[in-house]
Amino acid sequence: MDRQPPPRPAYELPAPDALGAAVDQALSADRDAHERLGRVMAVATAAGVRDILTGYRPGLPFDAAKLELVEGEDGSLFPTGRYWTLTGAARTFTEDVGETEAGNALHDLSGWTAFLDDNTRDVWRPLCDERPDRDGRPMFALDLLRAASLAYDPPGLAAPDAAHGPMVEVTVCANERDHYLALVDPADQRDGYVRPWFDLPTVHRIAADTQRDAAKYGHGSIDTVHILHGKVNDTRHAVVMVVTWMHLGGEKQQQAVEVLQPNTDGRYAVGGHPWCWYVLSDDLTPLIPFRPDAGWPVVS
């Protein structure tokens, strides 16, 4: 039996350009919604820890800096009941409030941390230190100070080479260990974290440190910096790249490698705001947000 061509389309569709624009808009809205969800739930998690330790009396003092979280099979995070104080001492909620109260509190806290999952990973993962696996499950320590400082809505991204205001020289850190000199614009902050600009020798140090950490802890948890050198027409050039390994193999794989452009002073904004760089005082106290006093020297 001969197959007759259909006399008309089975159904009507929007114009391809309109449909493509609608898809892009919907995906963008979905990403924005997940980022806001991750931010709100990270703050709610920090608030939940405070409530456990203060008996739901927010005005009372408490001492908590990091919260231990375990990643479940579905990618969601759940509290183990262990946390660390500002001095680094490990404690459990059971020690503080008793087994029954701690169990009930952790159940409530899990209601917030369950939203810290694969959909919101871009928000919570930079706030966490990776800990040794336990029973085959990934473990993390959530920085509660950084989580508590998040704004609910992500601020607009500034172009990397956008004009900046007066710059000051500071010492910055992003991992509580490695410190670097940089220039920052105090007005260019997101959630209290700065966008530092490094000279090329410092970028070499950052490259060596990130590659060392990736070799030690795994590339899935560390962005690495790489520098290529070459000569064109007797002029030497440097190419600075950042590799976000966790994006490889996923829907963001095309964003996994970023080539950084230097500013007019030949400095590079390695990591930018997403790395959560913070300024250190002379005694290495984190200054989040960074509010330089009137005597802080302006470089440019």
Side-chain angles (χ1 to χ4, degrees):
M1 180 177 179
D2 293 338
R3 181 182 178 88
Q4 297 297 322
R8 65 183 65 84
Y11 45 82
E12 298 294 330
L13 284 166
D17 289 348
L19 177 58
V23 169
D24 290 342
Q25 184 178 14
L27 291 175
S28 177
D30 182 66
R31 287 191 294 269
D32 291 345
H34 281 130
E35 180 166 2
R36 190 175 198 277
L37 177 65
R39 285 169 166 266
V40 171
M41 292 307 168
V43 177
T45 298
V49 172
R50 175 205 61 193
D51 291 342
I52 294 173
L53 297 178
T54 63
Y56 297 88
R57 289 171 289 179
L60 294 183
F62 64 98
D63 186 4
K66 294 188 177 183
L67 174 69
E68 186 175 69
L69 298 167
V70 58
E71 185 172 334
E73 293 183 0
D74 63 351
S76 300
L77 300 183
F78 296 94
T80 65
R82 189 172 185 233
Y83 71 96
W84 290 268
T85 66
L86 291 169
T87 61
R91 293 191 58 82
T92 67
F93 295 126
T94 299
E95 294 172 341
D96 294 318
V97 300
E99 185 174 355
T100 300
E101 185 67 25
N104 293 334
L106 286 176
H107 179 271
D108 293 341
L109 188 60
S110 296
W112 306 128
T113 63
F115 290 97
L116 304 179
D117 57 12
D118 285 337
N119 290 321
T120 58
R121 185 175 293 268
D122 287 347
V123 175
W124 63 260
R125 185 61 186 85
L127 305 177
C128 290
D129 296 330
E130 191 166 3
R131 299 282 175 171
D133 289 359
R134 187 178 304 162
D135 298 327
R137 303 307 310 168
M139 304 293 296
F140 300 95
L142 174 67
D143 189 323
L144 295 168
L145 281 71
R146 293 164 68 183
S149 71
L150 289 178
Y152 297 151
D153 293 303
L157 298 178
D161 208 21
H164 55 72
M167 305 280 272
V168 297
E169 186 175 60
V170 296
T171 299
V172 297
C173 181
N175 61 5
E176 301 181 354
R177 183 184 65 247
D178 300 315
H179 309 152
Y180 311 98
L181 285 177
L183 298 185
V184 303
D185 175 3
D188 185 14
Q189 299 188 47
R190 183 195 298 179
D191 302 323
Y193 298 100
V194 296
R195 184 205 305 268
W197 293 85
F198 304 99
D199 59 23
L200 192 57
T202 303
V203 176
H204 274 280
R205 285 185 54 211
I206 297 173
D209 291 341
T210 57
Q211 292 175 47
R212 174 204 65 206
D213 288 347
K216 182 176 181 179
Y217 301 111
H219 288 76
S221 60
I222 303 292
D223 293 355
T224 55
V225 179
H226 305 265
I227 305 173
L228 303 178
H229 290 279
K231 183 183 292 186
V232 179
N233 296 329
D234 295 327
T235 301
R236 295 190 62 81
H237 297 274
V239 178
V240 178
M241 300 182 298
V242 178
V243 181
T244 303
W245 294 88
M246 64 185 298
H247 286 346
L248 293 173
E251 62 180 20
K252 292 188 176 182
Q253 61 181 354
Q254 293 184 345
Q255 305 172 31
V257 179
E258 179 185 10
V259 177
L260 303 185
Q261 300 299 324
N263 65 7
T264 55
D265 298 322
R267 289 177 171 268
Y268 298 82
V270 178
H273 292 127
W275 278 27
C276 295
W277 291 103
Y278 52 89
V279 175
L280 295 173
S281 66
D282 291 340
D283 62 358
L284 302 184
T285 299
L287 303 177
I288 306 172
F290 173 49
R291 297 190 179 98
D293 56 37
W296 205 290
V298 175
V299 176
S300 64

